[in-house]
Amino acid sequence: IINDGTRSNEERLGSIGDIYFALEKEKVDEDFLVINSDNLFSFDLLKIYEYFKLREAPIISIYDVGSLEIAKRMGNPKIDEDNKIIFFKEKDENIKSSLCSIGIYFFTREAIGLIKEYLGEGNSSDRSGDFIEWLYKKRDIYGHVFDSDEDKWFDIGSLESYEKAKRVWG
């Protein structure tokens, strides 16, 4: 656990700000994994890691949430036949697909400098999806799509979704 010294909501560094803070504080100079803390999932992370090593490029985890209304509150990727991200929009009101980025990312070490560049340009440090939206335009990023029939995923950022996860997993 790394304390960023924040004492109020107004002082928060944001998702990307916290990631960069941890990378700098720990002097990370290697590939890294980010898992947003509001995730519960049954996925095998080794599958994503193997795909990451094969691609040698950033990988975002993608899941079909089954609802356009839910998807509007998340990051919305479009992928080509090779699973390359060809479009990404955070919290898009005009989405046409329920495929969503679920906050599990494998990054190459190059991303450390790219996060610094992103923040240095004055971009939002709050949401990781905003960084992905910026990054796919600069570097190849790929999606790893999970089977929503086989794999389970819940965003437990609300009491309602937490209760649903409890019912599924007991």
Side-chain angles (χ1 to χ4, degrees):
I1 296 175
I2 302 170
N3 183 350
D4 68 3
T6 300
R7 295 183 181 270
S8 70
N9 281 341
E10 293 73 35
E11 295 176 343
R12 288 183 307 181
L13 300 178
S15 177
I16 293 299
D18 278 332
I19 291 166
Y20 187 68
F21 176 82
L23 293 168
E24 286 293 299
K25 177 119 176 118
E26 295 300 311
K27 298 177 178 41
V28 174
D29 187 28
E30 59 190 344
D31 299 342
F32 60 100
L33 165 67
V34 173
I35 301 176
N36 290 358
S37 61
D38 55 0
N39 277 313
L40 286 180
F41 56 91
S42 65
F43 312 145
D44 181 353
L45 290 176
L46 186 56
K47 287 180 184 177
I48 314 169
Y49 178 72
E50 290 168 350
Y51 187 64
F52 170 69
K53 294 311 274 182
L54 176 72
R55 289 289 184 188
E56 297 181 345
I59 303 294
I60 68 171
S61 298
I62 298 173
Y63 188 80
D64 187 343
V65 297
S67 160
L68 292 178
E69 284 307 308
I70 292 171
K72 287 178 183 180
R73 301 187 308 251
M74 303 180 72
N76 309 116
K78 289 184 186 168
I79 54 177
D80 68 11
E81 64 280 347
D82 201 29
N83 282 3
K84 181 179 173 186
I85 304 299
I86 56 173
F87 180 80
F88 190 96
K89 180 80 173 153
E90 182 71 6
K91 301 183 188 311
D92 187 1
E93 285 291 320
N94 300 310
I95 60 165
K96 308 264 189 291
S97 166
S98 56
L99 284 180
C100 293
S101 170
I102 56 171
I104 302 172
Y105 312 100
F106 278 85
F107 289 111
T108 58
R109 74 170 31 125
E110 176 194 27
I112 299 166
L114 292 167
I115 292 171
K116 182 178 184 177
E117 179 183 338
Y118 169 83
L119 293 171
E121 290 177 0
N123 292 301
S124 172
S125 65
D126 190 34
R127 302 181 309 195
S128 53
D130 291 332
F131 174 65
I132 299 300
E133 189 174 333
W134 176 88
L135 185 60
Y136 94 88
K137 298 170 187 170
K138 297 188 173 296
R139 300 289 188 276
D140 287 349
I141 302 176
Y142 292 88
H144 183 277
V145 182
F146 282 98
D147 182 345
S148 54
D149 291 328
E150 183 178 317
D151 297 307
K152 300 293 178 238
W153 170 83
F154 295 94
D155 173 346
I156 58 165
S158 73
L159 185 57
E160 176 186 348
S161 59
Y162 173 70
E163 291 297 333
K164 183 176 179 183
K166 280 179 38 179
R167 286 191 300 275
V168 169
W169 275 319

